[in-house]
Amino acid sequence: MSAAYPMMGNAPLTATGGRVADASNSFFADGPVVLPSGGPLYLQLKRWIEDAIHSGAVNPGDALPSERDLATKVDVSRVTVRKAVLQLVKDGVLVQRHGSGTFVAPITQRVEQSLSQLTSFTEDMARRGMAVRAEWLDRGLYIPSPEETVILGLSSGEQAARISRLRLTGETPLAIERASLSSHVLPDPASIGDSLYKHLDKFGNRPVRAIQRIRAANLGAEDAALLHVPEGSAGLNIERTSYLASGRVIEFTRSIYRGDTYDFVAELRLGDPAGAKP
Ligand code: 16G
């Protein structure tokens, strides 16, 4: 993916997920085009566009000319343009938005999350000055699965309140979160606002401790589409089980984070070597 996000890393992740589209980027309007030589024509065109992005002649968020205009300018068929563009979309270099065209993919900056603080997504992002929002994928009360019954310690008659959200900053999706809680704690899953932890806090149910398990994963088609990355991209599968001070489990959440946007950071201290004499 490094070629797919050539300028990732230093620039800020903007609230809109990229610069304002500029269909009149002068690079595409300037003089005759000399495609890099070798290989099929569509790959030459693909390399030409990639080089333009690498060199900064075209910027993240810039719009590509229409298929027809690009074909005329480069003097290739529209089929060749389509093939090159499709490949670049698949690689995550370009993004297509229905009705508005094709754009250079926005820059994404890696976000660091401490592994020693029990914070919420909203708090993590607020500390970085990033506005977050959620798109609801699902919320409702369900008959609990055996796993939910065991992990949440549900008694008979308790249902599982499930909330599934796509977490975004601006237009850039960062994570998918699928949380389960007891229906006693969250009888109306539709009532939580932007932040689950804020909602739980209101009722004195904010978790004070959590166990988090992190695994590498390659994203399946559905999750990859939600996160706007190519299928099979690297992701982080995270399970968080959170506890109240009483020891009761309050939340079990499975999250999938984009591997290209998140670093989880843990501070390590020298402990007492096992068996050390006082
Ligand atoms: C974090 C937690 C998630 C929790 C959410 C609450 C991880 C991996 N997960 O994203 O378990 O439900 O925060 O965030 O850190 P909210 O209060 O903004 O809804």
Side-chain angles (χ1 to χ4, degrees), residues 113 119-124 165 167 177 179 194-198 212 238 240 242 251 253 255 257 264:
Q113 191 194 108
T119 47
S120 73
F121 187 89
T122 308
E123 291 162 348
D124 282 339
R165 296 173 287 173
R167 312 299 304 257
E177 295 190 326
D194 295 332
S195 163
L196 172 64
Y197 280 13
K198 209 161 137 190
Q212 202 158 284
I238 306 175
R240 182 185 281 194
S242 308
E251 165 208 18
T253 299
S255 310
Y257 281 68
F264 286 87

Side-chain angles (χ1 to χ4, degrees), residues 19 32 76 91 103 134 152 172 179 202 214 226 234 246 253 257 272:
R19 290 165 17 128
V76 295
D91 290 350
F103 301 82
L152 297 171
T172 307
K202 261 197 273 180
I214 304 178
L226 286 170
S246 66
T253 299
Y257 281 68
D272 288 336

Side-chain angles (χ1 to χ4, degrees), residues 81-112:
V81 172
R82 198 169 310 146
K83 267 178 93 172
V85 167
L86 273 181
Q87 197 61 50
L88 287 165
V89 169
K90 220 171 143 216
D91 290 350
V93 177
L94 300 178
V95 286
Q96 279 179 323
R97 297 196 194 112
H98 281 302
S100 47
T102 304
F103 301 82
V104 178
I107 295 171
T108 47
Q109 183 199 35
R110 299 188 76 84
V111 174
E112 276 191 8

Side-chain angles (χ1 to χ4, degrees), residues 3-4 24 72 153 205 222 225 232 241 255:
S24 61
T72 309
N205 284 329
E222 196 184 320
T241 309
S255 310

